[in-house]
Amino acid sequence: MSFVSEFNSLPLAPLVEKSKAAAAAAVRESLSKSKLSLADFANLISPAAAEFLEQMGRRSHVMTQQRFGKVVRLFAPLYLSNECVNNCSYCGFSRDNPILRVTLSLEEMKREAEELKSQGFRNLLLVAGEHPKFVSNNYLRDCIAALHADWPSVSLEVGPMETEDYRPLVAAGADGLVVYQETYDRKIYSEMHTAGPKRNFDWRLETPERAYAAGFRRLGISPLYGLADWRFEALSVVAHADYLLRNCWKAAVTISLPRLRPCAGEFQPLTHMTDRDLAQLVCALRLMFPDVGLTLSTRESARLRDGLLPLGITMMSAGSHTEPGGYTGAGKEKLHQTVRGRIVELASGASEWAPQPDRATNATGQFNIADERSAGEVAELIRKLGYEPVWKDWDAALTA
Ligand code: SF4
């Protein structure tokens, strides 16, 4: 049995209604428990629980420090390619967006990694769109192998694969896999994914299990907030994490909290989640799962990230670029457009593609980031808040 069958039998719609109608007494009762059920979590993300946010924040803060210490782990995304065969309405890399694309060579990827290493990072997330012609499994394996000696922790956020295709990537040195379900609402999922293999909701939902079977020992999951009702998404990701904790127990599970950001294609969010909702969700997730890592990316503003950190965040990206070559300009001589899988060279001298002075490369990013501070500035702020920035997430040598 996979999470798909469990997910299909969950009473999610009634739980969302229960959450929206919860009374203060129900919130108090859930807060009094040491172990929470999905129904308790529904109470903690309810409008009524917003009145308890301060109390929840204090408990979440203490619990996080007890379980994780006063540390925040830092990681950097390294975008390998912005080619993609899928059309996802909310993503700048969508197949039909006429953007500037590139796939980094091994040497170019190493230049980007060197730059991130010089900034202090030792925990890398390799990101790529899904395009087997440009981002083959062998290419990914070679990238991981080239990084393995220097990077104690390499995770992947790439198109989902079969278990057998994941195994060589684990053998090459990848230890973590991040896969956002985007939305757990099947109807909205089918409306948002109009072309490409990503249309298969169940295949994506089972990805963390296939990755675990292949040997990945860190699994990151999340919805993308801004597509379906945020309470529905939060209840779904909690059920998903709970399943993974029970069935993939050798892996560390992390939950991210991404909200939609502006991107090429100019998609507008379908639903709204306020900053206060996000803070309430961080606290509720921590109370639900004392030991699960919570990740906050540069999608959120510096001010909000600084405020959310003490509530329960354990991992952050910093100084991020969401375009391939964004740290060093690597690959910028090869920028092109891709039409039906074929590279189309840019007309030389076209002013539309003139270099932009504030950016290393003109390749198009996946989305605009909100926290534009450098990695050093974020680390400094973490210290000022009384935490230790940790640049490494995992050391294979310690568990060998
Ligand atoms: S979300 Fe992922 S699969 Fe969809 S278009 Fe963007 S990169 Fe491609």
Side-chain angles (χ1 to χ4, degrees):
M1 187 170 120
S2 79
F3 178 59
V4 170
S5 29
E6 193 165 308
F7 178 72
N8 289 341
S9 63
L10 286 171
L12 287 168
L15 277 170
V16 172
E17 290 316 309
K18 176 178 153 55
S19 174
K20 288 182 177 165
V27 178
R28 265 189 222 102
E29 194 188 329
S30 292
L31 278 172
S32 72
K33 297 181 184 174
S34 55
K35 189 160 173 28
L36 305 182
S37 64
L38 196 57
D40 291 316
F41 179 78
N43 288 334
L44 296 191
I45 57 170
S46 68
E51 301 302 318
F52 295 79
L53 187 52
E54 220 178 296
Q55 183 186 342
M56 286 168 61
R58 276 197 303 274
R59 281 182 53 183
S60 169
H61 170 76
V62 170
M63 200 179 262
T64 307
Q65 292 208 351
Q66 280 170 349
R67 305 298 179 121
F68 292 86
K70 289 196 85 175
V71 299
V72 177
R73 295 180 190 281
L74 290 170
F75 73 98
L78 193 168
Y79 277 72
L80 300 172
S81 172
N82 56 0
E83 303 280 0
C84 199
V85 292
N86 293 302
N87 262 340
C88 307
S89 309
Y90 48 83
C91 178
F93 293 172
S94 277
R95 182 182 81 183
D96 292 344
N97 280 347
I99 63 166
L100 289 185
R101 302 187 190 258
V102 69
T103 301
L104 301 184
S105 68
L106 217 52
E107 286 311 312
E108 290 160 350
M109 182 277 301
K110 283 199 238 171
R111 262 171 66 195
E112 291 275 283
E114 273 307 311
E115 166 57 27
L116 290 168
K117 197 171 162 208
S118 76
Q119 294 177 17
F121 289 105
R122 294 294 180 274
N123 181 7
L124 203 56
L125 175 67
L126 297 181
V127 188
E130 184 171 355
H131 204 309
K133 179 173 163 186
F134 298 96
V135 184
S136 68
N137 292 11
N138 286 348
Y139 166 77
L140 286 173
R141 186 203 56 209
D142 292 347
C143 287
I144 298 160
L147 295 168
H148 188 49
D150 266 356
W151 289 82
S153 182
V154 176
S155 297
L156 303 179
E157 188 177 343
V158 299
M161 297 175 198
E162 295 284 1
T163 301
E164 290 312 311
D165 294 328
Y166 279 137
R167 288 192 203 281
L169 307 185
V170 174
D175 56 27
L177 189 98
V178 174
V179 58
Y180 293 170
Q181 187 60 28
E182 320 293 11
T183 174
Y184 288 87
D185 182 310
R186 284 181 184 275
K187 182 168 174 290
I188 295 175
Y189 187 95
S190 118
E191 289 163 2
M192 291 296 101
H193 302 105
T194 54
K198 194 167 172 180
R199 284 181 59 71
N200 189 336
F201 179 98
D202 289 353
W203 161 256
R204 192 167 185 87
L205 196 58
E206 288 172 336
T207 303
E209 293 158 67
R210 292 194 305 276
Y212 179 72
F216 282 102
R217 287 299 172 257
R218 291 185 298 123
L219 302 173
I221 57 169
S222 177
L224 181 55
Y225 294 98
L227 299 177
D229 178 289
W230 74 265
R231 291 187 173 87
F232 175 84
E233 303 285 30
L235 282 158
S236 303
V237 78
V238 160
H240 197 175
D242 182 57
Y243 176 90
L244 294 176
L245 290 168
R246 280 184 279 117
N247 292 279
C248 305
W249 53 272
K250 286 187 200 161
V253 175
T254 57
I255 300 177
S256 303
L257 297 118
R259 289 191 293 183
L260 268 169
R261 290 285 302 152
C263 65
E266 300 187 357
F267 180 79
Q268 294 302 314
L270 306 177
T271 58
H272 185 55
M273 180 192 207
T274 67
D275 292 353
R276 207 175 154 83
D277 294 337
L278 186 59
Q280 187 177 346
L281 178 58
V282 170
C283 300
L285 286 171
R286 173 58 62 232
L287 300 183
M288 179 80 197
F289 296 125
D291 296 311
V292 162
L294 297 180
T295 305
L296 192 65
S297 77
T298 52
R299 286 172 181 268
E300 299 301 337
S301 69
R303 192 156 166 264
L304 186 63
R305 294 217 305 164
D306 298 352
L308 292 178
L309 190 157
L311 294 182
I313 300 301
T314 56
M315 178 130 57
M316 282 181 146
S317 50
S320 303
H321 282 270
T322 70
E323 68 278 20
Y327 300 106
T328 64
K332 71 177 171 189
E333 328 68 47
K334 303 188 301 190
L335 295 183
H336 58 263
Q337 293 190 325
T338 304
V339 179
R340 293 174 200 270
R342 289 215 329 270
I343 288 178
V344 178
E345 304 296 342
L346 301 174
S348 64
S351 61
E352 197 181 343
W353 314 122
Q356 296 170 27
D358 57 333
R359 297 181 55 193
T361 175
N362 277 8
T364 309
Q366 190 175 27
F367 53 85
N368 299 346
I369 63 164
D371 183 349
E372 296 190 332
R373 291 174 297 185
S374 68
E377 287 170 321
V378 172
E380 190 49 40
L381 189 276
I382 289 171
R383 278 188 210 98
K384 268 195 195 138
L385 291 174
Y387 291 77
E388 184 62 29
V390 172
W391 299 88
K392 196 156 76 163
D393 187 50
W394 177 270
D395 195 332
L398 298 177
T399 56

